[in-house]
Amino acid sequence: MGGTPLRRGAVWPPPGGPLDASGRLARRAAATALAAEALRLPPAGTQNHLERDFTATAPNTKWVTDITYIRTAEHWLYLCIVLDLYSGLVVGWSMSPHQDRQLVVQAVLMAVWQRPGRTPVILHSDRGCQYTSDEYQQFLAAHHITGSMSAVGSCADNAAAESFFGVLKRERVNRQQYRTRAQAQADIFDYIERWHNPRRRRRLAFQEERQKLLTQLSVETGRTGGSALLAACLHSFGTRITSPGSVAPHRPTFIAKTTTPYLASKGFTPSAIALSWLADHSLL
């Protein structure tokens, strides 16, 4: 059966429709591309620098990139993204009717424009022909970007980009019926720039503000914000601690559990604040 499931019991386009044959061709092309990728060697000196470590301690230090396809009544639309692993922002993207080198170069170029300065960054991808091409590799070298590549046929090596595509299609693409590529481009632009990126920026700002409150010293008490807040919570729960010796060995677990509802309502991580308080009072 052809078509893309939109909801239980609904398929668009209907089996045997104008895009049914193109769906089979796309699946056949994907299988052929995977077989070709297995025979394709990575560029000299390129290795997997990411090693499935999708954490980053600063923005614009680790990027991942990948390509997906969007079905429209006109035929396929290809989307390439560059995702920052620190913030989760889509820092670069491009769309085209053709899956060629220019598709990926334009996406990375957009990310480069948004990168402050020329700080070193790792850019991870699979071994698609677009990423192994000389033009792409020369582009990375000219912009001080370290290329990183997955093992053959291992989608888990690029799970962060695959995860974004999965959410994009679940939240937006599979709920639409695109009649033209232009309609699909406008809708995907709306999702990335008016929904996904603003949401990630708000979350990042909240996390930075929370970290600032946890580590900033109080002018009045000289303690960190996390320590002062936890002490106030303990006081409100009737638990007064005047010296390190007054805390029983099981008290850290008790502290974290009894303050959880209050701290959660304030947007703080209870374990982080409890550990901060205990460290300040030499209890760890």
Side-chain angles (χ1 to χ4, degrees):
M1 293 181 65
T4 301
L6 299 179
R7 59 185 183 276
R8 189 181 299 275
V11 175
W12 181 88
L19 293 183
D20 191 45
S22 66
R24 292 195 299 269
L25 290 175
R27 290 190 291 272
R28 187 181 305 170
T32 303
L34 184 61
E37 184 176 317
L39 301 176
R40 189 180 302 118
L41 296 177
T46 301
Q47 57 183 346
N48 190 342
H49 295 281
L50 209 58
E51 294 292 349
R52 300 190 185 181
D53 179 10
F54 302 116
T55 59
T57 57
N60 298 306
T61 55
K62 290 182 180 180
W63 292 344
V64 294
T65 180
D66 203 356
I67 302 172
T68 191
Y69 51 87
I70 311 296
R71 172 174 288 184
T72 75
E74 284 185 340
H75 216 285
W76 301 108
L77 174 69
Y78 295 96
L79 167 67
C80 178
I81 61 144
V82 178
L83 188 75
D84 184 4
L85 291 181
Y86 175 79
S87 61
L89 291 170
V90 177
V91 293
W93 54 267
S94 67
M95 289 177 273
S96 172
H98 308 290
Q99 189 179 7
D100 54 15
R101 294 187 297 272
Q102 284 303 309
L103 176 70
V104 299
V105 168
Q106 290 300 318
V108 179
L109 182 61
M110 180 177 178
V112 168
W113 285 342
Q114 299 187 52
R115 179 181 58 165
R118 297 166 69 88
T119 55
V121 59
I122 294 174
L123 179 56
H124 186 82
S125 68
D126 58 23
R127 293 192 190 182
C129 61
Q130 299 85 4
Y131 297 112
T132 57
S133 65
D134 291 339
E135 180 181 354
Y136 176 77
Q137 293 299 320
Q138 292 171 5
F139 177 83
L140 296 186
H143 291 87
H144 302 278
I145 299 174
T146 302
S148 173
M149 287 195 169
S150 304
V152 175
S154 181
C155 59
D157 286 349
N158 208 8
E162 297 286 353
S163 176
F164 171 81
F165 287 146
V167 174
L168 166 67
K169 292 184 178 181
R170 183 171 64 251
E171 292 185 346
R172 183 62 63 89
V173 173
N174 289 348
R175 299 172 182 267
Q176 306 294 327
Q177 299 180 10
Y178 302 121
R179 296 301 175 183
T180 65
R181 291 192 182 101
Q183 182 185 4
Q185 286 178 315
D187 194 44
I188 293 170
F189 170 86
D190 179 84
Y191 179 85
I192 293 175
E193 296 296 352
R194 299 185 61 187
W195 169 247
H196 175 80
N197 280 352
R199 179 176 57 176
R200 299 301 306 186
R201 290 189 182 98
R202 288 193 297 269
R203 182 176 300 178
L204 185 61
F206 174 78
Q207 291 173 347
E208 291 176 349
E209 183 64 21
R210 183 175 60 180
Q211 182 65 23
K212 180 181 177 181
L213 291 174
L214 286 174
T215 57
Q216 181 174 291
L217 292 177
S218 171
V219 177
E220 297 180 356
T221 64
R223 296 182 298 182
T224 62
S227 300
L229 180 56
L230 183 58
C233 293
L234 294 175
H235 178 74
S236 67
F237 277 92
T239 306
R240 299 296 300 276
I241 298 177
T242 57
S243 65
S246 65
V247 180
H250 65 278
R251 186 65 69 182
T253 302
F254 171 77
I255 290 173
K257 288 183 178 179
T258 55
T259 59
T260 296
Y262 178 82
L263 297 177
S265 68
K266 298 297 182 181
F268 290 90
T269 304
S271 58
I273 298 182
L275 291 175
S276 174
W277 193 92
L278 293 171
D280 285 355
H281 290 76
S282 303
L283 299 178
L284 291 179

